[in-house]
Amino acid sequence: MPIQLNALQALCRQVFGFRLALIAIGTPFALDRANSRFGVWLVGAAIVFSLVGSYAMLRDWEVFGPLLIKYRSLMLLDFIFGSVLLLTASPDSTLGYATVCTPLLAGLLYGWRGAGIFTLIQILLLAAAYSAWHVRMAGPASTLLLTGFCIAAGVIGVTLRNLMFRFGTATQALSEATARLAVNDAVEEERTRLAREMHDSVAKTLHGLALAADSLSQSADRMDPLTVKHQAGMVARSARRAAAESREILSDLRRKADHDMGGVDVATELSARVRDFATRTTIPTDFIPVGASPAPVLPHAVARHLLTIATEALENAHRHADATRITVEIGILATDAHGPDPHLSDLHLSIIDNGTGLPRGTSLEDLHRAGHFGLVGMVERAAGIGARIRIGRGRSEGGTEVRVDLPMAALTPHLPRP
Protein backbone atom coordinates (compact mmCIF):
# COMPACT_ATOMS: atom_id res chain seq x y z
CA MET A 1 0.00 0.00 0.00
CA PRO A 2 2.68 2.66 0.75
CA ILE A 3 4.01 2.36 -2.82
CA GLN A 4 0.77 3.21 -4.60
CA LEU A 5 -0.27 5.78 -1.97
CA ASN A 6 3.02 7.61 -2.45
CA ALA A 7 2.48 7.50 -6.21
CA LEU A 8 -1.04 8.95 -5.81
CA GLN A 9 0.36 11.62 -3.53
CA ALA A 10 3.00 12.58 -6.09
CA LEU A 11 0.42 12.75 -8.92
CA CYS A 12 -1.97 14.90 -6.87
CA ARG A 13 0.84 17.26 -5.97
CA GLN A 14 1.75 17.63 -9.64
CA VAL A 15 -1.88 18.41 -10.53
CA PHE A 16 -2.10 21.07 -7.82
CA GLY A 17 1.21 22.54 -9.00
CA PHE A 18 -0.11 22.74 -12.57
CA ARG A 19 -3.35 24.28 -11.32
CA LEU A 20 -1.44 26.81 -9.22
CA ALA A 21 0.52 27.96 -12.28
CA LEU A 22 -2.61 28.30 -14.42
CA ILE A 23 -4.44 30.33 -11.75
CA ALA A 24 -1.44 32.64 -11.32
CA ILE A 25 -1.30 33.22 -15.10
CA GLY A 26 -5.05 33.74 -15.43
CA THR A 27 -5.45 36.07 -12.46
CA PRO A 28 -4.98 39.30 -14.50
CA PHE A 29 -7.75 38.20 -16.92
CA ALA A 30 -10.19 37.63 -14.07
CA LEU A 31 -9.40 40.94 -12.35
CA ASP A 32 -9.52 42.88 -15.61
CA ARG A 33 -12.98 41.58 -16.49
CA ALA A 34 -14.54 42.23 -13.07
CA ASN A 35 -17.14 44.96 -13.75
CA SER A 36 -17.72 46.36 -10.25
CA ARG A 37 -15.92 46.99 -7.01
CA PHE A 38 -17.81 44.15 -5.40
CA GLY A 39 -16.81 41.93 -8.32
CA VAL A 40 -13.16 42.85 -7.84
CA TRP A 41 -13.34 41.94 -4.15
CA LEU A 42 -15.15 38.69 -4.92
CA VAL A 43 -12.65 37.70 -7.61
CA GLY A 44 -9.75 38.70 -5.37
CA ALA A 45 -11.04 36.54 -2.52
CA ALA A 46 -11.52 33.61 -4.91
CA ILE A 47 -7.97 34.06 -6.27
CA VAL A 48 -6.44 34.21 -2.79
CA PHE A 49 -8.35 31.14 -1.61
CA SER A 50 -7.51 29.16 -4.75
CA LEU A 51 -3.84 30.08 -4.67
CA VAL A 52 -3.45 29.40 -0.94
CA GLY A 53 -5.38 26.14 -1.16
CA SER A 54 -3.38 24.86 -4.14
CA TYR A 55 -0.08 25.87 -2.53
CA ALA A 56 -1.03 24.20 0.76
CA MET A 57 -1.89 20.97 -1.05
CA LEU A 58 1.34 21.14 -3.02
CA ARG A 59 3.52 21.80 0.01
CA ASP A 60 1.82 19.85 2.83
CA TRP A 61 -0.15 17.07 1.18
CA GLU A 62 0.51 14.76 4.14
CA VAL A 63 -1.48 17.17 6.36
CA PHE A 64 -4.28 18.36 4.07
CA GLY A 65 -4.55 15.44 1.63
CA PRO A 66 -6.33 13.06 4.06
CA LEU A 67 -8.83 15.84 4.86
CA LEU A 68 -9.55 16.33 1.16
CA ILE A 69 -10.12 12.57 0.77
CA LYS A 70 -12.31 12.31 3.87
CA TYR A 71 -14.37 15.48 3.35
CA ARG A 72 -15.38 15.82 -0.29
CA SER A 73 -17.12 19.08 0.57
CA LEU A 74 -13.66 20.69 0.63
CA MET A 75 -13.25 19.83 -3.05
CA LEU A 76 -16.71 21.28 -3.69
CA LEU A 77 -15.79 24.47 -1.82
CA ASP A 78 -12.64 24.84 -3.89
CA PHE A 79 -14.73 24.15 -6.98
CA ILE A 80 -17.06 27.05 -6.09
CA PHE A 81 -14.18 29.54 -5.86
CA GLY A 82 -12.81 28.23 -9.15
CA SER A 83 -16.23 28.76 -10.68
CA VAL A 84 -16.15 32.43 -9.71
CA LEU A 85 -12.84 32.85 -11.52
CA LEU A 86 -14.02 30.97 -14.61
CA LEU A 87 -17.29 32.91 -14.88
CA THR A 88 -15.34 36.15 -14.49
CA ALA A 89 -12.48 35.43 -16.90
CA SER A 90 -14.48 33.42 -19.55
CA PRO A 91 -13.71 29.90 -20.84
CA ASP A 92 -11.23 31.17 -23.49
CA SER A 93 -8.79 32.43 -20.82
CA THR A 94 -6.00 30.46 -19.17
CA LEU A 95 -8.31 29.72 -16.24
CA GLY A 96 -10.41 27.60 -18.55
CA TYR A 97 -7.67 24.99 -18.69
CA ALA A 98 -7.54 24.92 -14.89
CA THR A 99 -10.97 23.32 -14.97
CA VAL A 100 -9.36 20.12 -16.29
CA CYS A 101 -7.65 19.62 -12.92
CA THR A 102 -10.91 19.09 -11.03
CA PRO A 103 -12.07 15.90 -12.85
CA LEU A 104 -8.50 14.60 -12.84
CA LEU A 105 -8.19 15.04 -9.06
CA ALA A 106 -11.65 13.55 -8.49
CA GLY A 107 -10.68 10.49 -10.50
CA LEU A 108 -7.41 10.05 -8.60
CA LEU A 109 -8.97 10.52 -5.17
CA TYR A 110 -12.56 9.25 -5.40
CA GLY A 111 -12.80 6.77 -8.28
CA TRP A 112 -15.49 6.47 -10.93
CA ARG A 113 -18.39 7.93 -8.93
CA GLY A 114 -16.49 11.01 -7.76
CA ALA A 115 -14.99 11.58 -11.21
CA GLY A 116 -18.42 11.33 -12.83
CA ILE A 117 -20.07 13.75 -10.41
CA PHE A 118 -17.35 16.43 -10.58
CA THR A 119 -16.95 16.06 -14.35
CA LEU A 120 -20.69 16.60 -14.84
CA ILE A 121 -20.66 19.66 -12.56
CA GLN A 122 -17.62 21.03 -14.39
CA ILE A 123 -19.31 20.59 -17.78
CA LEU A 124 -22.43 22.42 -16.51
CA LEU A 125 -20.19 25.23 -15.25
CA LEU A 126 -18.47 25.48 -18.64
CA ALA A 127 -21.88 25.68 -20.31
CA ALA A 128 -22.91 28.48 -17.92
CA ALA A 129 -19.67 30.36 -18.55
CA TYR A 130 -20.12 30.05 -22.31
CA SER A 131 -23.70 31.33 -22.03
CA ALA A 132 -22.42 34.37 -20.14
CA TRP A 133 -19.59 35.12 -22.60
CA HIS A 134 -20.84 33.77 -25.95
CA VAL A 135 -21.35 37.27 -27.35
CA ARG A 136 -17.65 38.11 -26.94
CA MET A 137 -16.40 34.68 -28.00
CA ALA A 138 -15.83 33.56 -31.59
CA GLY A 139 -17.71 30.29 -31.11
CA PRO A 140 -18.24 27.31 -28.86
CA ALA A 141 -15.14 25.48 -30.13
CA SER A 142 -12.95 26.30 -27.12
CA THR A 143 -15.72 25.38 -24.67
CA LEU A 144 -16.35 22.06 -26.43
CA LEU A 145 -12.61 21.38 -26.41
CA LEU A 146 -12.44 22.03 -22.66
CA THR A 147 -15.47 19.78 -22.16
CA GLY A 148 -13.68 16.94 -23.95
CA PHE A 149 -10.55 17.60 -21.90
CA CYS A 150 -12.57 17.38 -18.67
CA ILE A 151 -14.12 14.04 -19.65
CA ALA A 152 -10.74 12.67 -20.70
CA ALA A 153 -9.12 13.93 -17.49
CA GLY A 154 -11.73 12.18 -15.34
CA VAL A 155 -11.22 8.89 -17.21
CA ILE A 156 -7.43 9.23 -17.02
CA GLY A 157 -7.56 9.94 -13.28
CA VAL A 158 -9.68 6.85 -12.54
CA THR A 159 -7.54 4.70 -14.85
CA LEU A 160 -4.33 5.78 -13.13
CA ARG A 161 -5.88 5.14 -9.73
CA ASN A 162 -7.00 1.62 -10.68
CA LEU A 163 -3.69 0.78 -12.32
CA MET A 164 -1.74 1.83 -9.24
CA PHE A 165 -3.93 -0.12 -6.84
CA ARG A 166 -3.86 -3.19 -9.08
CA PHE A 167 -0.10 -2.91 -9.18
CA GLY A 168 -0.11 -2.68 -5.38
CA THR A 169 -2.31 -5.77 -5.12
CA ALA A 170 -0.01 -7.70 -7.45
CA THR A 171 3.04 -6.53 -5.51
CA GLN A 172 1.45 -7.58 -2.23
CA ALA A 173 0.52 -11.00 -3.66
CA LEU A 174 4.09 -11.45 -4.89
CA SER A 175 5.46 -10.48 -1.48
CA GLU A 176 3.12 -12.90 0.27
CA ALA A 177 4.03 -15.71 -2.14
CA THR A 178 7.73 -15.03 -1.60
CA ALA A 179 7.29 -15.05 2.17
CA ARG A 180 5.23 -18.26 1.99
CA LEU A 181 7.94 -19.94 -0.11
CA ALA A 182 10.57 -18.76 2.36
CA VAL A 183 8.62 -20.32 5.24
CA ASN A 184 8.22 -23.58 3.33
CA ASP A 185 11.92 -23.55 2.48
CA ALA A 186 12.77 -23.04 6.16
CA VAL A 187 10.62 -26.02 7.13
CA GLU A 188 12.15 -28.19 4.39
CA GLU A 189 15.62 -27.06 5.45
CA GLU A 190 14.80 -28.15 8.99
CA ARG A 191 13.71 -31.57 7.77
CA THR A 192 16.91 -31.90 5.74
CA ARG A 193 18.97 -30.92 8.79
CA LEU A 194 17.26 -33.57 10.93
CA ALA A 195 17.85 -36.21 8.27
CA ARG A 196 21.50 -35.20 7.98
CA GLU A 197 22.00 -35.28 11.74
CA MET A 198 20.34 -38.69 11.94
CA HIS A 199 22.65 -39.99 9.23
CA ASP A 200 25.77 -38.48 10.79
CA SER A 201 25.01 -39.48 14.39
CA VAL A 202 22.48 -42.22 15.11
CA ALA A 203 23.01 -44.21 11.90
CA LYS A 204 26.78 -44.31 12.29
CA THR A 205 26.58 -45.12 16.00
CA LEU A 206 24.12 -47.96 15.37
CA HIS A 207 26.31 -49.31 12.57
CA GLY A 208 29.32 -49.35 14.88
CA LEU A 209 27.20 -50.96 17.59
CA ALA A 210 26.10 -53.70 15.19
CA LEU A 211 29.70 -54.39 14.17
CA ALA A 212 30.85 -54.57 17.81
CA ALA A 213 27.98 -56.90 18.74
CA ASP A 214 28.77 -59.19 15.77
CA SER A 215 32.41 -59.31 16.73
CA LEU A 216 31.54 -60.10 20.34
CA SER A 217 29.12 -62.88 19.39
CA GLN A 218 31.65 -64.54 17.08
CA SER A 219 34.63 -64.47 19.43
CA ALA A 220 33.10 -64.61 22.91
CA ASP A 221 33.85 -68.34 23.30
CA ARG A 222 37.56 -67.75 22.55
CA MET A 223 38.13 -64.73 24.89
CA ASP A 224 38.74 -64.60 28.62
CA PRO A 225 35.98 -63.21 30.81
CA LEU A 226 37.68 -59.82 31.37
CA THR A 227 37.96 -59.22 27.63
CA VAL A 228 34.36 -60.25 27.11
CA LYS A 229 33.32 -57.88 29.91
CA HIS A 230 35.32 -55.07 28.32
CA GLN A 231 33.78 -55.68 24.88
CA ALA A 232 30.28 -55.88 26.38
CA GLY A 233 30.88 -52.54 28.14
CA MET A 234 31.85 -50.95 24.82
CA VAL A 235 28.64 -52.27 23.26
CA ALA A 236 26.61 -50.91 26.19
CA ARG A 237 28.25 -47.49 25.93
CA SER A 238 27.60 -47.39 22.18
CA ALA A 239 23.96 -48.32 22.79
CA ARG A 240 23.57 -45.57 25.39
CA ARG A 241 25.16 -43.05 23.03
CA ALA A 242 22.79 -44.10 20.24
CA ALA A 243 19.85 -43.76 22.64
CA ALA A 244 20.96 -40.25 23.63
CA GLU A 245 21.37 -39.22 20.01
CA SER A 246 17.98 -40.72 19.20
CA ARG A 247 16.38 -38.70 22.01
CA GLU A 248 17.83 -35.49 20.58
CA ILE A 249 16.56 -36.29 17.11
CA LEU A 250 13.16 -37.35 18.46
CA SER A 251 12.97 -34.12 20.42
CA ASP A 252 13.41 -32.13 17.20
CA LEU A 253 10.94 -34.39 15.42
CA ARG A 254 8.50 -33.87 18.30
CA ARG A 255 8.73 -30.13 17.71
CA LYS A 256 8.12 -30.76 14.02
CA ALA A 257 5.06 -32.83 14.95
CA ASP A 258 3.93 -29.97 17.20
CA HIS A 259 4.11 -27.76 14.15
CA ASP A 260 1.79 -30.13 12.29
CA MET A 261 -0.64 -30.04 15.25
CA GLY A 262 -0.41 -26.30 15.80
CA GLY A 263 3.25 -25.40 16.15
CA VAL A 264 5.26 -23.49 18.74
CA ASP A 265 3.71 -20.85 21.00
CA VAL A 266 6.36 -18.26 20.22
CA ALA A 267 4.91 -15.63 22.61
CA THR A 268 5.09 -17.97 25.61
CA GLU A 269 8.59 -19.12 24.72
CA LEU A 270 9.76 -15.53 24.17
CA SER A 271 8.25 -14.45 27.50
CA ALA A 272 10.18 -17.21 29.28
CA ARG A 273 13.41 -16.18 27.59
CA VAL A 274 12.84 -12.55 28.53
CA ARG A 275 12.33 -13.53 32.19
CA ASP A 276 15.49 -15.66 32.16
CA PHE A 277 17.46 -12.82 30.55
CA ALA A 278 16.23 -10.28 33.11
CA THR A 279 17.08 -12.63 36.00
CA ARG A 280 20.53 -13.42 34.65
CA THR A 281 21.59 -9.87 33.72
CA THR A 282 19.49 -7.85 36.26
CA ILE A 283 18.50 -5.51 33.40
CA PRO A 284 14.80 -4.47 33.69
CA THR A 285 13.20 -6.07 30.63
CA ASP A 286 9.51 -5.61 29.82
CA PHE A 287 7.55 -8.10 27.75
CA ILE A 288 4.54 -6.41 26.10
CA PRO A 289 1.99 -8.15 23.86
CA VAL A 290 0.83 -5.69 21.19
CA GLY A 291 -1.71 -5.58 18.40
CA ALA A 292 -5.32 -6.58 18.08
CA SER A 293 -4.58 -10.29 18.58
CA PRO A 294 -1.77 -12.29 20.23
CA ALA A 295 1.02 -13.97 18.32
CA PRO A 296 -0.10 -17.31 16.85
CA VAL A 297 1.65 -20.64 17.09
CA LEU A 298 4.34 -20.93 14.45
CA PRO A 299 6.21 -23.67 12.62
CA HIS A 300 9.25 -24.74 14.60
CA ALA A 301 11.73 -23.56 11.96
CA VAL A 302 10.12 -20.10 11.82
CA ALA A 303 9.83 -19.81 15.61
CA ARG A 304 13.47 -20.84 16.02
CA HIS A 305 14.63 -18.03 13.70
CA LEU A 306 12.48 -15.41 15.44
CA LEU A 307 13.54 -16.50 18.93
CA THR A 308 17.20 -16.52 17.88
CA ILE A 309 16.88 -12.97 16.52
CA ALA A 310 15.26 -11.82 19.76
CA THR A 311 17.91 -13.56 21.89
CA GLU A 312 20.74 -12.07 19.82
CA ALA A 313 19.22 -8.57 20.13
CA LEU A 314 18.91 -8.95 23.92
CA GLU A 315 22.51 -10.12 24.23
CA ASN A 316 23.73 -7.23 22.05
CA ALA A 317 21.90 -4.75 24.27
CA HIS A 318 23.54 -6.31 27.32
CA ARG A 319 27.08 -6.84 26.02
CA HIS A 320 27.66 -3.96 23.63
CA ALA A 321 25.06 -1.21 24.22
CA ASP A 322 25.25 -0.86 28.05
CA ALA A 323 21.46 -0.71 28.12
CA THR A 324 19.67 -0.12 31.43
CA ARG A 325 16.17 -0.96 30.17
CA ILE A 326 14.82 -3.14 27.36
CA THR A 327 11.32 -3.58 25.96
CA VAL A 328 10.23 -6.62 23.95
CA GLU A 329 7.00 -6.47 21.91
CA ILE A 330 5.24 -9.19 19.93
CA GLY A 331 1.80 -9.44 18.38
CA ILE A 332 -0.28 -9.12 15.23
CA LEU A 333 -0.42 -5.65 13.65
CA ALA A 334 -2.82 -4.91 10.80
CA THR A 335 -1.29 -3.41 7.65
CA ASP A 336 -4.72 -2.43 6.28
CA ALA A 337 -7.00 0.20 7.75
CA HIS A 338 -10.18 -1.81 7.08
CA GLY A 339 -9.71 -4.39 9.82
CA PRO A 340 -7.69 -7.34 11.10
CA ASP A 341 -7.69 -9.36 7.87
CA PRO A 342 -5.15 -12.18 8.35
CA HIS A 343 -3.99 -11.64 4.77
CA LEU A 344 -3.25 -7.97 5.55
CA SER A 345 -1.48 -8.39 8.89
CA ASP A 346 2.09 -8.85 10.06
CA LEU A 347 3.54 -10.73 12.99
CA HIS A 348 5.45 -7.95 14.72
CA LEU A 349 8.52 -8.50 16.93
CA SER A 350 10.43 -5.55 18.35
CA ILE A 351 13.33 -5.28 20.81
CA ILE A 352 13.98 -1.71 21.98
CA ASP A 353 16.82 -0.68 24.31
CA ASN A 354 18.06 2.63 25.70
CA GLY A 355 21.75 1.89 25.18
CA THR A 356 24.43 3.70 23.25
CA GLY A 357 23.03 2.74 19.86
CA LEU A 358 24.82 1.78 16.67
CA PRO A 359 27.76 3.94 15.52
CA ARG A 360 26.82 6.43 12.83
CA GLY A 361 27.34 5.05 9.34
CA THR A 362 27.35 1.40 10.39
CA SER A 363 26.66 -1.02 7.53
CA LEU A 364 26.37 -4.79 7.31
CA GLU A 365 29.39 -4.93 5.00
CA ASP A 366 31.55 -3.17 7.60
CA LEU A 367 30.33 -5.52 10.34
CA HIS A 368 31.00 -8.57 8.16
CA ARG A 369 34.52 -7.44 7.32
CA ALA A 370 35.23 -6.73 11.00
CA GLY A 371 34.10 -10.22 12.02
CA HIS A 372 30.94 -9.12 13.87
CA PHE A 373 28.40 -11.58 12.55
CA GLY A 374 25.58 -11.07 15.09
CA LEU A 375 23.61 -8.45 13.15
CA VAL A 376 24.49 -10.10 9.84
CA GLY A 377 23.09 -13.38 11.15
CA MET A 378 19.90 -11.65 12.29
CA VAL A 379 19.36 -10.20 8.81
CA GLU A 380 20.04 -13.58 7.19
CA ARG A 381 17.63 -15.35 9.53
CA ALA A 382 14.89 -12.80 8.81
CA ALA A 383 15.44 -13.17 5.07
CA GLY A 384 15.36 -16.95 5.46
CA ILE A 385 11.73 -16.87 6.61
CA GLY A 386 10.56 -14.05 4.33
CA ALA A 387 10.40 -11.38 7.06
CA ARG A 388 11.40 -7.71 6.93
CA ILE A 389 13.94 -6.56 9.52
CA ARG A 390 14.98 -3.04 10.48
CA ILE A 391 17.90 -2.33 12.79
CA GLY A 392 18.47 1.24 13.91
CA ARG A 393 17.26 3.94 16.24
CA GLY A 394 13.56 3.48 15.46
CA ARG A 395 11.42 4.51 18.45
CA SER A 396 14.39 4.38 20.81
CA GLU A 397 15.80 7.71 21.92
CA GLY A 398 19.52 7.19 21.47
CA GLY A 399 19.35 3.40 21.70
CA THR A 400 18.57 0.68 19.19
CA GLU A 401 15.39 -0.96 17.93
CA VAL A 402 15.40 -4.31 16.17
CA ARG A 403 12.06 -4.73 14.40
CA VAL A 404 10.94 -7.84 12.52
CA ASP A 405 7.68 -8.01 10.52
CA LEU A 406 6.56 -11.35 9.06
CA PRO A 407 3.50 -11.32 6.71
CA MET A 408 0.78 -13.50 8.21
CA ALA A 409 -0.29 -14.52 4.70
CA ALA A 410 2.90 -16.61 4.56
CA LEU A 411 1.70 -18.60 7.58
CA THR A 412 -1.98 -19.00 6.59
CA PRO A 413 -2.02 -20.68 3.18
CA HIS A 414 -5.27 -22.50 4.06
CA LEU A 415 -7.31 -19.29 4.35
CA PRO A 416 -9.19 -18.22 1.19
CA ARG A 417 -7.96 -15.12 -0.57
CA PRO A 418 -10.37 -12.16 -0.25
Side-chain angles (χ1 to χ4, degrees), residues 224-343:
D224 59 274
L226 290 178
T227 304
V228 173
K229 181 179 180 181
H230 176 70
Q231 293 289 342
M234 291 180 58
V235 171
R237 286 193 297 273
S238 297
R240 284 192 294 269
R241 185 166 64 251
E245 292 170 349
S246 299
R247 281 194 298 270
E248 293 179 1
I249 299 298
L250 288 174
S251 177
D252 283 344
L253 290 175
R254 171 76 65 180
R255 288 194 291 266
K256 178 62 181 71
D258 289 342
H259 157 59
D260 294 334
M261 295 182 295
V264 178
D265 189 347
V266 67
T268 302
E269 178 66 23
L270 181 60
S271 177
R273 294 195 181 195
V274 168
R275 287 195 302 271
D276 293 342
F277 174 82
T279 302
R280 175 169 53 85
T281 62
T282 68
I283 298 177
T285 306
D286 300 321
F287 178 80
I288 303 176
V290 296
S293 58
V297 291
L298 300 177
H300 170 62
V302 178
R304 180 165 58 87
H305 284 300
L306 290 176
L307 292 172
T308 302
I309 291 173
T311 302
E312 182 68 24
L314 290 172
E315 292 297 332
N316 285 343
H318 169 52
R319 297 176 182 175
H320 307 298
D322 298 326
T324 59
R325 191 165 197 87
I326 304 175
T327 301
V328 179
E329 299 176 351
I330 190 169
I332 302 299
L333 297 182
T335 58
D336 183 74
H338 297 294
D341 187 341
H343 290 286

Side-chain angles (χ1 to χ4, degrees), residues 36-367:
S36 63
R37 185 174 182 181
F38 174 76
V40 172
W41 280 101
L42 181 62
V43 171
I47 291 173
V48 170
F49 179 86
S50 300
L51 289 176
V52 171
S54 298
Y55 179 74
M57 291 295 179
L58 177 65
R59 183 177 183 274
D60 296 315
W61 173 265
E62 294 84 357
V63 178
F64 300 105
L67 297 177
L68 186 63
I69 296 174
K70 184 176 181 181
Y71 303 105
R72 301 187 182 185
S73 56
L74 293 177
M75 176 74 81
L76 186 61
L77 180 63
D78 179 77
F79 178 80
I80 292 174
F81 282 98
S83 302
V84 173
L85 297 179
L86 180 63
L87 291 172
T88 307
S90 82
D92 61 348
S93 68
T94 310
L95 289 174
Y97 293 95
T99 59
V100 177
C101 299
T102 301
L104 181 57
L105 284 170
L108 289 172
L109 297 177
Y110 309 131
W112 283 112
R113 181 177 298 178
I117 293 174
F118 281 97
T119 301
L120 178 61
I121 297 175
Q122 191 68 68
I123 292 174
L124 294 176
L125 174 64
L126 286 171
Y130 175 75
S131 299
W133 289 93
H134 70 281
V135 177
R136 298 176 57 180
M137 295 176 62
S142 61
T143 304
L144 293 176
L145 182 63
L146 286 177
T147 301
F149 282 162
C150 289
I151 296 174
V155 173
I156 291 173
V158 176
T159 303
L160 289 175
R161 172 190 173 92
N162 292 339
L163 284 176
M164 280 185 285
F165 279 103
R166 287 178 183 176
F167 170 76
T169 302
T171 303
Q172 179 183 350
L174 178 61
S175 176
E176 293 173 357
T178 303
R180 188 178 296 113
L181 289 174
V183 170
N184 292 335
D185 288 343
V187 174
E188 291 300 323
E189 181 182 351
E190 187 72 3
R191 291 179 177 177
T192 304
R193 183 185 69 84
L194 292 174
R196 183 171 57 249
E197 290 183 0
M198 182 174 289
H199 173 271
D200 294 340
S201 58
V202 178
K204 290 183 177 180
T205 304
L206 289 176
H207 181 67
L209 176 61
L211 292 177
D214 287 340
S215 175
L216 180 61
S217 64
Q218 293 174 5
S219 59
D221 56 343
R222 299 190 301 272
M223 293 186 295
D224 59 274
L226 290 178
T227 304
V228 173
K229 181 179 180 181
H230 176 70
Q231 293 289 342
M234 291 180 58
V235 171
R237 286 193 297 273
S238 297
R240 284 192 294 269
R241 185 166 64 251
E245 292 170 349
S246 299
R247 281 194 298 270
E248 293 179 1
I249 299 298
L250 288 174
S251 177
D252 283 344
L253 290 175
R254 171 76 65 180
R255 288 194 291 266
K256 178 62 181 71
D258 289 342
H259 157 59
D260 294 334
M261 295 182 295
V264 178
D265 189 347
V266 67
T268 302
E269 178 66 23
L270 181 60
S271 177
R273 294 195 181 195
V274 168
R275 287 195 302 271
D276 293 342
F277 174 82
T279 302
R280 175 169 53 85
T281 62
T282 68
I283 298 177
T285 306
D286 300 321
F287 178 80
I288 303 176
V290 296
S293 58
V297 291
L298 300 177
H300 170 62
V302 178
R304 180 165 58 87
H305 284 300
L306 290 176
L307 292 172
T308 302
I309 291 173
T311 302
E312 182 68 24
L314 290 172
E315 292 297 332
N316 285 343
H318 169 52
R319 297 176 182 175
H320 307 298
D322 298 326
T324 59
R325 191 165 197 87
I326 304 175
T327 301
V328 179
E329 299 176 351
I330 190 169
I332 302 299
L333 297 182
T335 58
D336 183 74
H338 297 294
D341 187 341
H343 290 286
L344 301 173
S345 301
D346 287 342
L347 173 60
H348 167 79
L349 170 64
S350 186
I351 300 92
I352 308 171
D353 66 66
N354 64 346
T356 56
L358 291 171
R360 185 178 298 274
T362 301
S363 67
L364 291 178
E365 290 79 7
D366 297 336
L367 294 171

